[in-house]
């Protein structure tokens, strides 16, 4: 997978896994990493799927309707890429914190839905529920920040509440942060995520 790795100043800190939204790339979220933890290593990945020339992490059938088969395949692909990257760049595979926006947040959530050891924690900006009707692994000890907009046309409020409930029922500690916004990512939401990270990670 196309990616950027930047070694941090402190190897005991988590590696921040950056996952962009639809049409983004591995450069998009780099400014967020510095706001969350300026001493951490950063692994920023580009999605392997193209939708009309726009990079994504998995295919969708329509707005808000995921191609479930492709989602499962791409989730495994990213999980295995993290295994390889940890060896290549000598970082702790068990100490990865994902920071994802929209489509990137969805693939991060999907990893937590499918693997108990994929991520130590996740900052999910405007995610959706990746899959329904499946049993989640034991996520005890995992921490999740969900950033949501009260007027988000792509991700309704009920979706954010449902994702929080599913993750909590699997044992994760979840903080749901609301902004009176739509689907866009605001400075206030990033600041809230940074404060949450410093308190919990």
């Amino acid at each position: 997978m196309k990616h950027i790795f930047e070694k941090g100043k402190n190897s005991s800190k988590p590696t921040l896994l950056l996952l962009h939204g639809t049409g983004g790339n591995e450069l998009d979220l780099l400014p967020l990493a510095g706001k969350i933890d300026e001493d951490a290593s950063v692994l920023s990945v580009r999605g392997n799927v193209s939708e009309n020339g726009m990079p994504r992490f998995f295919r969708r059938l329509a707005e808000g309707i995921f191609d479930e088969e492709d989602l499962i395949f791409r989730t495994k692909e990213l999980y295995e890429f993290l295994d390889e990257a940890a060896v290549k760049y000598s970082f702790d595979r068990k100490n990865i914190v994902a920071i994802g926006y929209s489509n990137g947040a969805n693939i991060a959530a999907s990893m937590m839905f499918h693997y108990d050891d994929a991520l130590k924690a996740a900052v999910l900006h405007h995610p959706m529920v990746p899959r329904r009707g499946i049993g989640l692994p034991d996520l005890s000890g995992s921490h999740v920040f969900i950033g949501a907009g009260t007027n988000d046309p792509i991700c309704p409020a009920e979706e954010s509440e449902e994702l929080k409930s599913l993750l909590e029922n699997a044992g994760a500690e979840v903080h749901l942060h609301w902004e009176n916004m739509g689907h866009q990512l605001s400075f206030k939401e990033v600041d809230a995520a940074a404060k949450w990270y410093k308190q919990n990670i």
Side-chain angles (χ1 to χ4, degrees):
M1 300 184 79
K2 285 190 178 174
H3 65 279
I4 294 169
F5 180 77
E6 295 177 352
K7 190 167 179 58
K9 299 174 197 159
N10 185 342
S11 61
S12 69
K13 290 288 190 84
T15 296
L16 302 180
L17 171 65
L18 306 184
L19 303 165
H20 62 79
T22 300
N25 61 40
E26 64 275 24
L27 300 173
D28 280 18
L29 299 185
L30 289 176
L32 261 65
K35 293 190 187 312
I36 298 288
D37 191 339
E38 59 185 11
D39 295 328
S41 294
V42 174
L43 178 64
S44 191
V45 183
R46 183 188 297 189
N48 264 352
V49 171
S50 178
E51 182 183 275
N52 301 319
M54 298 185 298
R56 278 177 59 85
F57 286 98
F58 57 89
R59 289 198 295 266
R60 59 184 168 181
L61 305 175
E63 183 75 65
I65 302 172
F66 301 158
D67 181 332
E68 199 161 295
E69 190 178 326
D70 191 60
L71 172 63
I72 294 165
F73 174 78
R74 299 296 174 181
T75 300
K76 183 171 185 277
E77 178 184 58
L78 180 56
Y79 178 84
E80 290 174 350
F81 170 76
L82 295 178
D83 290 345
E84 294 161 13
V87 174
K88 182 177 179 181
Y89 297 116
S90 302
F91 63 79
D92 183 355
R93 176 65 183 85
K94 293 184 169 61
N95 197 15
I96 296 176
V97 176
I99 302 172
Y101 167 62
S102 193
N103 180 242
N106 294 338
I107 193 85
S110 181
M111 277 201 295
M112 298 190 87
F113 270 48
H114 291 94
Y115 303 101
D116 62 357
D117 60 347
L119 301 169
K120 177 182 178 181
V123 174
L124 307 176
H125 295 291
H126 303 262
M128 295 174 70
V129 176
R131 292 187 69 197
R132 290 179 171 87
I134 63 166
L136 271 62
D138 181 2
L139 296 175
S140 301
S142 301
H143 291 266
V144 182
F145 173 97
I146 298 174
T150 53
N151 303 306
D152 192 331
I154 296 171
C155 178
E158 307 84 63
E159 187 102 8
S160 304
E161 296 281 6
E162 183 184 351
L163 180 59
K164 177 178 187 279
S165 175
L166 288 167
L167 290 168
E168 283 180 336
N169 288 342
E173 295 279 335
V174 185
H175 175 69
L176 177 52
H177 174 83
W178 293 100
E179 290 288 343
N180 190 23
M181 304 278 282
H183 197 65
Q184 68 270 41
L185 183 53
S186 68
F187 288 116
K188 277 177 72 180
E189 190 177 313
V190 173
D191 284 344
K195 281 181 190 153
W196 170 87
Y197 176 92
K198 286 173 177 62
Q199 288 167 357
N200 293 282
I201 308 303

